[in-house]
Amino acid sequence: MNKKTKNIIWIIVAVVAVALVGVFLSDILNAATELSFTDFMTKIGNGEINTLYVDGYAWQGMLVTDGRIVASYTTVAPSIYDYASLTTLLQGFENVGVSVDITFTDPNAGSVWSSLIPLLGVVLVAVMFWLIMRSAAGGGGANMSINKTKAHVQSNLKVRFSDVAGAEEEKEELQEVVEFLKSPKKFAALGARIPSGVLLVGPPGTGKTLFAKAVAGEAGVPFFSVSGSDFVEMYVGVGAKRVRDLFDMAKKNQPCIIFIDEIDAVGRRRGAGLGGGHDEREQTLNQILVQMDGFEANDGIIVMAATNREDILDPALLRPGRFDRRINVNLPDVKGREQILKVHARNKPMSPDVNFKTVARITAGFSGAELANLLNEAAILAARAGKKTIGNLELYDGINKVLMGPQKKSRVVTESDKRCTAYHEAGHAVLACLCKHCDPVHEVSIIPRGRAAGYTMTRPETDDNDVSYNKLVDNICMSLGGRVAEELVIQDVTTGASADLQHVSDIARRMVTQWGMSDKLGLVAYDSDLPVFMGMEYGNQSRGGYSQETAATIDSEIRRLITEAHERATKLLKENRSIMDNMSRVLVEKETIYTEEVQMLMKGADYKEVIAYMDEKEGTHRDNPFASMTTPSPEHVVKEENESQE
Ligand code: ADP
Ligand code: MG
Ligand code: ZN
């Protein structure tokens, strides 16, 4: 090693050290400590927080002295706060000298330190890179391989569609992609536009990765995979370079699949969120977009990506020519669970008395991965007990093991949760049928979707978008149905109705303040159509749009509308209690019902009758849920998001 190389190495070591100190310092200054809501409130009380940014339920509190952020905390506000109590709460903070702001922008932008230090780090790292490059050019440098694509390439994947159970619709959609990969030239010759990007959206463990592999396996093409999280926490420019290398490599191996797992890690909406310094991620994302735009029509590359947070993705990713095909991969229903269990039991010796139907029934809320895990646990238990086959005993213990597992704890769906959700949804559905101005019910389900524990979908009969007073009042009544059902049956309320209540107060508020639907207040628009969240428009009072007195009248009018609807909902559900009872029993058993069953129940059919009817025609609904509808438009509206207790 000559003297020159030695010097360079010392310089690199020094620069790295300085850069690390810089990064470390900026971390201290920016790092927000996540607090429980109670602890957060205590800090406010102690004066340890004097600046508060409220962004929906996400709150950030900071101690700012002389324009410098000394400490920073985050918390998630409980969703129980309604408009009135939240306003009171925030006003209380202002009274003790906390500056409160509702913001959707970067609260750190004002701090010189927080923007300067990462910049310093960037400059230092850039210098370091330059030095490395120079020494490499001189022939004496070490071969640093951080620029190499860390993509995994798998060429002869053995995964087939038959390994993915219970997702027939998804398979059908992906079949097209398989055909294309088998003979891209054929499609190109006919001018067919094949999606260059397919986005798989669904909760963890539902088989998104499995699906991507199955497509590659079915088509017999190489499978390049990277994970979005590989790209974060990297030096500026490296992520973009990796993306380039990955696509170059893929182009040399056409036809093939590029799979980007956890794309939300790089594909977050740009320019959003607290704290700056996402340059690296943005560059990586931009590079992905550029590469996808550069595809020729006959390029045999399909980019697949998976996420469970579609809502935070940058809209640019979803534009035509990019990830313009989207496939929802949901948690499996009873039938799906049974099929998944069977797939994973294929090479396991099962005791003949095991009934997968029963196991499927009691594992509501389990993902495919959890079901696979359950069978694995059961196999381990059987082996330990010195058995030759896996029996019911091991399966039940396996379920408990998975239920007690770390990830599962938060969203266990017990029989009593299931019953509660069933009543909640039945309450909505029955009221939707009884209220004359509500749209017809199209689907009622207690399968969790997103953050909702269940859902009731209604579908308008016409394209008529006009909303009348009666329609709004009925909508409020129907939306309260879930809560009222809980009050009547469980004699206790859960937090499950919080999203409903938000929806209800939002409508009532708009009726009073925007649409002139309150006699007391008359035809005056008090609010413009500003973004509403948590059912409130912050700052109206302070902006002096109207007097305190008017504000009080508005509040009382909103309350009156909701109270009246609540009384009507209670009366209707009491009178039709037996319909609700029957419907919830069918829901517990079948998990999802459609127009036809709802109508049977509304006419007074017994739950046994409906279940028998469904058993008989099992499957036809799943294949085509629109079959029983009169108009062909597949449009439907998700009327409510009934949040589960997470
Ligand atoms: P995701 O990528 O959606 O988080 P994975 O594809 O990684 O989920 O699934 C993890 C495992 O769970 C798979 O390897 C498979 O064993 C099992 N699994 C998930 N869904 C299914 C399914 N529909 N059929 C069979 N197995 C499944
Ligand atoms: Mg995965
Ligand atoms: Zn609800």
Side-chain angles (χ1 to χ4, degrees):
M1 203 180 272
N2 63 30
K3 208 171 151 213
K4 197 179 146 213
T5 343
K6 240 184 199 164
N7 276 343
I8 289 172
I9 287 176
W10 273 115
I11 291 170
I12 292 173
V13 168
V15 167
V16 168
V18 173
L20 281 179
V21 168
V23 169
F24 186 56
L25 259 177
S26 89
D27 260 1
I28 288 182
L29 288 173
N30 280 329
T33 319
E34 171 117 34
L35 294 182
S36 74
F37 192 65
T38 327
D39 290 349
F40 194 88
M41 296 291 267
T42 313
K43 292 249 187 248
I44 293 179
N46 294 345
E48 287 172 73
I49 288 175
N50 61 9
T51 308
L52 180 63
Y53 291 101
V54 176
D55 185 355
Y57 295 119
W59 291 15
Q60 187 179 26
M62 280 170 286
L63 183 60
V64 180
T65 19
D66 303 330
R68 265 193 60 195
I69 301 169
V70 182
S72 180
Y73 312 94
T74 57
T75 194
V76 179
S79 50
I80 47 163
Y81 286 110
D82 62 0
Y83 162 69
S85 57
L86 195 84
T87 314
T88 320
L89 189 70
L90 293 177
Q91 222 133 49
F93 293 161
E94 288 201 308
N95 291 344
V96 297
V98 178
S99 112
V100 181
D101 207 351
I102 292 192
T103 182
F104 296 96
T105 56
D106 177 3
N108 284 334
S111 155
V112 180
W113 279 100
S114 58
S115 52
L116 209 61
I117 290 181
L119 199 73
L120 224 67
V122 167
V123 170
L124 287 175
V125 171
V127 169
M128 191 181 90
F129 261 99
W130 179 71
L131 284 171
I132 291 167
M133 290 306 180
R134 226 181 50 160
S135 71
N143 180 18
M144 306 259 296
S145 61
I146 36 175
N147 275 355
K148 283 244 177 73
T149 311
K150 267 222 219 117
H152 295 274
V153 191
Q154 286 161 289
S155 300
N156 284 311
L157 276 171
K158 297 272 181 298
V159 187
R160 294 292 181 273
F161 277 157
S162 57
D163 296 310
V164 191
E168 299 308 321
E169 283 161 48
E170 289 89 338
K171 275 183 216 170
E172 219 161 272
E173 285 197 62
L174 287 169
Q175 186 59 40
E176 188 187 346
V177 175
V178 172
E179 304 284 329
F180 168 72
L181 286 169
K182 276 185 178 160
S183 44
K185 294 261 154 35
K186 192 174 84 188
F187 281 81
L190 290 169
R193 207 178 72 83
I194 290 294
S196 46
V198 178
L199 186 65
L200 300 166
V201 184
T206 45
K208 298 183 292 296
T209 309
L210 190 66
F211 250 126
K213 283 186 179 165
V215 171
E218 289 278 339
V221 300
F223 182 75
F224 293 87
S225 65
V226 284
S227 173
S229 56
D230 294 348
F231 289 121
V232 293
E233 311 277 325
M234 287 200 312
Y235 296 120
V236 171
V238 178
K241 174 96 171 41
R242 263 202 203 172
V243 170
R244 246 179 350 255
D245 289 349
L246 172 63
F247 277 77
D248 283 348
M249 212 148 85
K251 275 180 191 149
K252 285 182 201 130
N253 289 284
Q254 300 182 37
C256 68
I257 283 183
I258 296 178
F259 178 59
I260 309 175
D261 210 350
E262 301 175 59
I263 195 168
D264 40 289
V266 281
R268 255 164 218 271
R269 209 170 279 271
R270 282 166 293 187
L274 306 174
H278 295 312
D279 292 357
E280 172 50 23
R281 223 195 50 216
E282 271 182 30
Q283 284 194 17
T284 308
L285 171 59
N286 288 338
Q287 192 62 47
I288 293 175
L289 298 178
V290 166
Q291 291 291 340
M292 289 187 76
D293 288 345
F295 280 160
E296 303 286 329
N298 61 349
D299 274 350
I301 302 178
I302 299 264
V303 188
M304 297 184 78
T307 181
N308 50 5
R309 293 293 315 274
E310 197 202 11
D311 51 322
I312 59 166
L313 287 187
D314 196 297
L317 273 171
L318 308 174
R319 250 169 241 150
R322 295 168 183 167
F323 291 100
D324 47 8
R325 187 70 61 93
R326 182 195 123 139
I327 296 180
N328 283 323
V329 189
N330 281 311
L331 286 175
D333 60 4
V334 180
K335 275 212 112 186
R337 292 198 296 272
E338 188 185 336
Q339 283 160 2
I340 293 171
L341 285 166
K342 282 182 179 158
V343 163
H344 286 278
R346 274 192 307 214
N347 45 18
K348 293 188 177 69
M350 305 302 297
S351 157
D353 61 342
V354 167
N355 183 349
F356 285 121
K357 254 203 170 63
T358 320
V359 182
R361 235 189 75 82
I362 58 174
T363 45
F366 274 54
S367 67
E370 282 158 347
L371 292 169
N373 189 12
L374 147 65
L375 280 174
N376 191 44
E377 291 289 351
I380 292 171
L381 289 170
R384 270 212 213 127
K387 292 190 180 170
K388 289 252 162 7
T389 58
I390 302 168
N392 282 315
L393 192 67
E394 288 79 32
L395 284 173
Y396 286 110
D397 287 348
I399 291 173
N400 285 334
K401 247 190 150 156
V402 175
L403 281 176
M404 284 184 298
Q407 324 91 328
K408 192 68 205 171
K409 225 173 213 155
S410 55
R411 45 189 189 89
V412 182
V413 183
T414 62
E415 276 300 298
S416 97
D417 286 347
K418 235 172 131 173
R419 182 168 168 269
C420 190
T421 309
Y423 264 106
H424 181 108
E425 298 308 329
H428 284 309
V430 169
L431 284 182
C433 295
L434 293 174
C435 295
K436 210 169 80 201
H437 300 275
C438 283
D439 296 324
V441 177
H442 146 220
E443 186 173 334
V444 188
S445 175
I446 59 167
I447 296 175
R449 227 181 234 191
R451 297 183 63 199
Y455 55 90
T456 298
M457 281 186 198
T458 58
R459 184 177 146 274
E461 267 170 332
T462 59
D463 290 338
D464 189 0
N465 274 326
D466 270 352
V467 278
S468 63
Y469 175 85
N470 286 327
K471 192 159 184 172
L472 290 167
V473 168
D474 278 2
N475 190 317
I476 293 180
C477 180
M478 175 237 178
S479 301
L480 287 171
R483 166 69 170 250
V484 171
E486 288 174 23
E487 286 167 2
L488 289 177
V489 180
I490 327 276
Q491 264 130 42
D492 190 8
V493 291
T494 68
T495 53
S498 71
D500 292 339
L501 298 182
Q502 230 167 281
H503 174 72
V504 162
S505 43
D506 185 30
I507 295 186
R509 183 169 188 79
R510 280 155 179 260
M511 286 175 74
V512 173
T513 60
Q514 288 177 22
W515 299 326
M517 290 178 175
S518 150
D519 291 339
K520 264 200 191 149
L521 286 153
L523 298 170
V524 180
Y526 291 93
D527 289 329
S528 57
D529 220 338
L530 288 170
V532 178
F533 79 94
M534 295 167 90
M536 70 163 197
E537 270 128 35
Y538 183 81
N540 273 326
Q541 281 90 340
S542 52
R543 257 185 250 133
Y546 40 80
S547 68
Q548 282 292 316
E549 210 174 299
T550 311
T553 317
I554 289 177
D555 279 346
S556 85
E557 282 294 280
I558 292 173
R559 201 154 298 154
R560 181 183 60 80
L561 277 172
I562 297 176
T563 313
E564 280 172 14
H566 186 269
E567 276 163 14
R568 184 153 75 102
T570 310
K571 183 167 171 285
L572 283 170
L573 285 184
K574 266 188 184 157
E575 285 166 7
N576 294 279
R577 174 68 193 260
S578 71
I579 296 181
M580 197 167 70
D581 287 340
N582 278 313
M583 190 181 288
S584 65
R585 292 191 80 149
V586 178
L587 279 172
V588 168
E589 183 75 23
K590 291 289 178 189
E591 299 185 349
T592 304
I593 59 175
Y594 302 87
T595 318
E596 220 175 327
E597 290 83 40
V598 172
Q599 278 166 3
M600 282 174 80
L601 287 158
M602 290 308 295
K603 283 186 193 129
D606 183 69
Y607 70 94
K608 284 190 200 131
E609 198 182 317
V610 179
I611 290 172
Y613 175 77
M614 289 181 82
D615 280 341
E616 206 173 292
K617 51 177 287 184
E618 191 85 87
T620 53
H621 268 125
R622 284 262 108 217
D623 295 344
N624 184 7
F626 305 113
S628 61
M629 292 182 181
T630 42
T631 28
S633 151
E635 204 167 302
H636 53 237
V637 183
V638 180
K639 262 283 144 61
E640 60 120 17
E641 280 264 297
N642 159 21
E643 280 185 32
S644 62
Q645 300 144 39
E646 285 189 322

